[in-house]
Amino acid sequence: MAMDTPPRWDRRMQQRLARGEAAALGELYDRFAALVHNLAHRVLDDDDAADQITREVFGYIWENPDAYDPKQGNLRSWVAKLTQRQAVHRLRQAEATAYAETGRGSAEELEQKVRRASVAARADYIVTSMPTPLRAALELAYFQRRDYRQTAADLGVTEDEARRRLRLGLQLLSSAHRTSDGAGPPGYGRAL
């Protein structure tokens, strides 16, 4: 499981990027490149396109370090959101081009495909951004088929705490469908 990023680290990283420290970009890349590539691949189902999105996202961050606002959330969430938005934008462009060239399908089918990919990417973003205790409980329940009692025992918490974590995690995941329209904080979703 990924380590939660402390807010102090986020602010320092932004300051280092704003000063133009190439080492900061390398550190940021080492920490988040797998997240960016996996989210992009989830949407686009294409390694080359995911690689290109990864380059674009880190290029955007390098050129616009002040676009990140620590008051809006942690850096990991912001990077994931940039990735999701860029990948969905790229999918929409690719599908529209394919539709225009072949005439197969319909505009409605195109939007459904984009919507499904957007919801999947949003769900991935939510899972990767949620606090480690919630993510751990969901992973036990989903991947290892644990009920709340087994989850509590595995995590060393009370049954009430395990239920609370599972409920909160599921509530966060359920928001993937409601927010798939692209709404988000200002500056956190424009195509790069």
Side-chain angles (χ1 to χ4, degrees):
M1 280 182 218
M3 174 176 43
D4 286 341
T5 307
R8 185 174 31 208
W9 184 89
D10 293 353
R11 286 190 299 276
R12 279 191 319 220
M13 178 56 67
Q14 180 190 30
Q15 292 166 353
R16 291 175 61 202
L17 289 168
R19 287 192 304 261
E21 289 184 33
L25 183 63
E27 187 179 329
L28 189 73
Y29 183 88
D30 290 344
R31 185 170 265 188
F32 297 130
L35 168 71
V36 170
H37 188 274
N38 291 338
L39 285 175
H41 191 275
R42 174 83 162 119
V43 173
L44 300 168
D45 196 28
D46 180 341
D47 277 332
D48 291 336
D51 288 344
Q52 187 173 3
I53 294 291
T54 302
R55 286 189 300 272
E56 289 173 3
V57 166
F58 285 100
Y60 177 82
I61 292 168
W62 178 249
E63 293 172 5
N64 302 284
D66 293 330
Y68 168 64
D69 181 3
K71 295 174 188 166
Q72 296 291 327
N74 65 35
L75 190 57
R76 177 185 179 89
S77 296
W78 181 67
V79 169
K81 191 67 168 173
L82 285 175
T83 303
Q84 178 211 1
R85 295 285 176 91
Q86 186 64 9
V88 167
H89 176 73
R90 177 72 47 81
L91 177 65
R92 180 173 273 118
Q93 283 181 325
E95 291 296 319
T97 300
Y99 171 69
E101 289 174 356
T102 65
R104 290 186 187 152
S106 67
E108 183 178 303
E109 289 172 343
L110 178 141
E111 281 305 311
Q112 285 177 344
K113 183 173 184 176
V114 169
R115 204 172 306 121
R116 281 191 305 271
S118 180
V119 168
R122 174 79 178 146
D124 283 351
Y125 159 72
I126 289 168
V127 169
T128 61
S129 299
M130 71 177 47
T132 302
L134 297 182
R135 190 170 51 245
L138 285 177
E139 287 174 353
L140 285 170
Y142 183 76
F143 292 115
Q144 297 182 23
R145 304 281 193 237
R146 302 276 200 251
D147 64 18
Y148 75 92
R149 288 185 179 103
Q150 294 165 322
T151 299
D154 289 349
L155 294 176
V157 298
T158 66
E159 290 179 4
D160 285 341
E161 177 63 15
R163 278 195 305 260
R164 186 187 72 75
R165 290 179 186 183
L166 289 168
R167 184 174 34 254
L168 286 173
L170 290 172
Q171 286 172 342
L172 285 171
L173 274 176
S174 72
S175 71
H177 284 285
R178 290 191 302 254
T179 58
S180 65
D181 63 352
Y188 276 58
R190 294 183 305 271
L192 305 180

